[in-house]
Amino acid sequence: PTLACAWFFANLVPFFGDAVDLLGASFTPLSCWVMPIVMFVRYYVDADEEERPKVGILEWILMAAEMALGLVLMVLGTKSSIETIVSKWQVYGYPFECHCQGLWSTCACSADHYGMDWCEIMALANATLANASDMSATLANSSLGSAIAGSLTGSP
């Protein structure tokens, strides 16, 4: 089931790397910077006077600056990721299309890459083996093949 799900989502989202960038830009600043500050402020407001931590004006200013920075990074990062996906949409193609261009392990799509001469060597080797087996079958069925086989075994 895990492999099937991975295949499904990899084919459903042909721009998987950029989708991860979009999720990271959208949620990382929110979960790492904004939410902790919001939770601290909520605790500060809800706490009794005796339990409330002592926070100076400089700390409030730094928390506000950090919150603003987190929100700016979230908005600009999300905008940049969306622009990247939109600009490359024609390159990515639609879900479940063949996206094997540029992969090393597929001869059909990447035969022109450096190192993919292996594809040509394998095709040549397969053709040579096929020809050799055809020749041996023809030789075995012929009278010359019987004569050679007889001379090797010592019989006339």
Side-chain angles (χ1 to χ4, degrees):
T2 304
L3 184 60
C5 288
W7 173 85
F8 179 76
F9 284 113
N11 282 295
L12 183 64
V13 184
F15 47 90
F16 187 77
D18 288 331
V20 170
D21 291 344
L22 176 63
L23 290 173
S26 300
F27 294 114
T28 301
L30 180 69
S31 63
C32 293
W33 289 351
V34 174
M35 291 305 296
I37 294 172
V38 168
M39 288 187 281
F40 173 76
V41 170
R42 179 62 193 233
Y43 169 74
Y44 186 84
V45 170
D46 289 345
D48 293 333
E49 208 47 54
E50 301 85 35
E51 293 179 10
R52 187 176 294 166
K54 304 294 183 224
V55 180
I57 188 73
L58 182 61
E59 290 173 309
W60 285 113
I61 292 171
L62 287 174
M63 282 192 281
E66 187 176 347
M67 176 93 95
L69 179 65
L71 291 172
V72 166
L73 287 175
M74 183 175 65
V75 169
L76 293 180
T78 302
K79 178 182 176 283
S80 174
S81 295
I82 290 172
E83 287 174 351
T84 300
I85 291 171
V86 169
S87 71
K88 293 182 180 178
W89 185 256
Q90 295 302 322
V91 174
Y92 294 136
Y94 293 100
F96 296 103
E97 282 186 334
C98 178
H99 301 287
C100 59
Q101 297 84 358
L103 297 178
W104 281 88
S105 61
T106 57
C107 294
C109 292
S110 302
D112 58 336
H113 283 167
Y114 177 75
M116 291 307 288
D117 48 347
W118 176 83
C119 296
E120 295 172 17
I121 293 169
M122 290 305 293
L124 183 62
N126 288 337
T128 303
L129 288 175
N131 287 341
S133 65
D134 288 345
M135 286 176 49
S136 65
T138 304
L139 189 60
N141 292 334
S142 69
S143 59
L144 177 62
S146 300
I148 292 173
S151 68
L152 291 176
T153 58
S155 59

